[in-house]
Amino acid sequence: MESESRGGSLEETLAGYVARMAKGDQGALSSLYDATVGQVYTLALRILENIPEAEEVTADLYFTAWHSAPTHDAKREGVQTWLMRLCRTRALELLNRRAQDLPAQPGELQDLYAALQEGSRLRESVARLSPLQRQLLALALFRGYSSPEISAFTAIPLESVDIQLVDALHRIHTGKADDEDGK
């Protein structure tokens, strides 16, 4: 991106695209799309696990971004955060519609209850992680960053990133709290 090469951050570049979109600049929408579609589509696909639906959510997101650009406040919410929130919301809405279209089967209530219990245990396990481990997991899971990208983004050595992520996943899997190991 040209403004990045002149010293601006990615977020400033994206905010510039949104500001231009708010003024009706379709080229800015194209630039925003080119700069962010990989991340948006990856998140949609992870949530939906369905290529046509992920493509639908991605297209809908940029349509929404075009129409919402005049009201987006870049100081309140960064552009990347805004796009990921819109993507997650659209994908979850689609999952909800999909679930409503499926007929209920015997045993689904028990399965749903078990899933809710498992989700509660997962939230508790994540809450017990160190703030650093939660941040690294969020970058990996919600932003789709690889370990080298996380290392570059956080300035933490790659080996440390890998160790923290493996330890965090182990703690979540086993349900161990930080204080159990003296951390």
Side-chain angles (χ1 to χ4, degrees):
M1 281 173 240
E2 47 198 71
S3 63
E4 282 184 285
S5 63
R6 291 192 300 247
S9 73
L10 174 60
E11 191 58 39
E12 290 169 343
T13 300
L14 299 178
Y17 295 152
V18 173
R20 288 178 26 216
M21 286 166 48
K23 296 176 184 173
D25 183 344
Q26 292 181 354
L29 175 61
S30 177
S31 296
L32 180 72
Y33 178 89
D34 290 343
T36 60
V37 69
Q39 228 178 354
V40 168
Y41 177 76
T42 298
L43 178 60
L45 188 57
R46 280 190 181 152
I47 293 171
L48 296 166
E49 298 179 343
N50 180 293
I51 291 171
E53 289 178 343
E55 290 170 349
E56 176 186 337
V57 164
T58 301
D60 181 56
L61 175 131
Y62 288 100
F63 178 80
T64 301
W66 172 255
H67 290 285
S68 301
T71 60
H72 178 257
D73 181 1
K75 292 178 181 149
R76 200 177 110 243
E77 180 177 43
V79 175
Q80 288 178 304
T81 303
W82 176 53
L83 293 175
M84 293 298 107
R85 180 179 53 78
L86 288 174
C87 180
R88 187 175 58 252
T89 299
R90 294 290 187 273
L92 293 175
E93 287 170 353
L94 187 56
L95 275 179
N96 189 32
R97 282 196 313 266
R98 186 194 312 160
Q100 290 174 356
D101 291 341
L102 296 174
Q105 299 295 322
E108 282 187 6
L109 289 178
Q110 292 86 356
D111 292 345
L112 177 60
Y113 181 71
L116 288 172
Q117 285 183 317
E118 183 62 30
S120 178
R121 283 191 291 272
L122 177 61
R123 280 190 298 281
E124 290 170 7
S125 294
V126 170
R128 288 191 302 255
L129 295 175
S130 72
L132 174 63
Q133 287 177 323
R134 285 194 306 269
Q135 177 188 16
L136 296 177
L137 274 177
L139 290 170
L141 298 175
F142 300 120
R143 291 211 173 173
Y145 287 4
S146 65
S147 291
E149 289 170 327
I150 293 171
S151 176
F153 183 78
T154 61
I156 296 173
L158 178 58
E159 184 175 320
S160 296
V161 168
D162 288 337
I163 289 169
Q164 289 294 326
L165 286 172
V166 167
D167 184 57
L169 293 173
H170 175 72
R171 288 174 182 281
I172 289 170
H173 181 72
T174 61
K176 285 186 177 179
D178 281 342
D179 54 25
E180 291 177 35
D181 289 336
K183 288 188 178 181

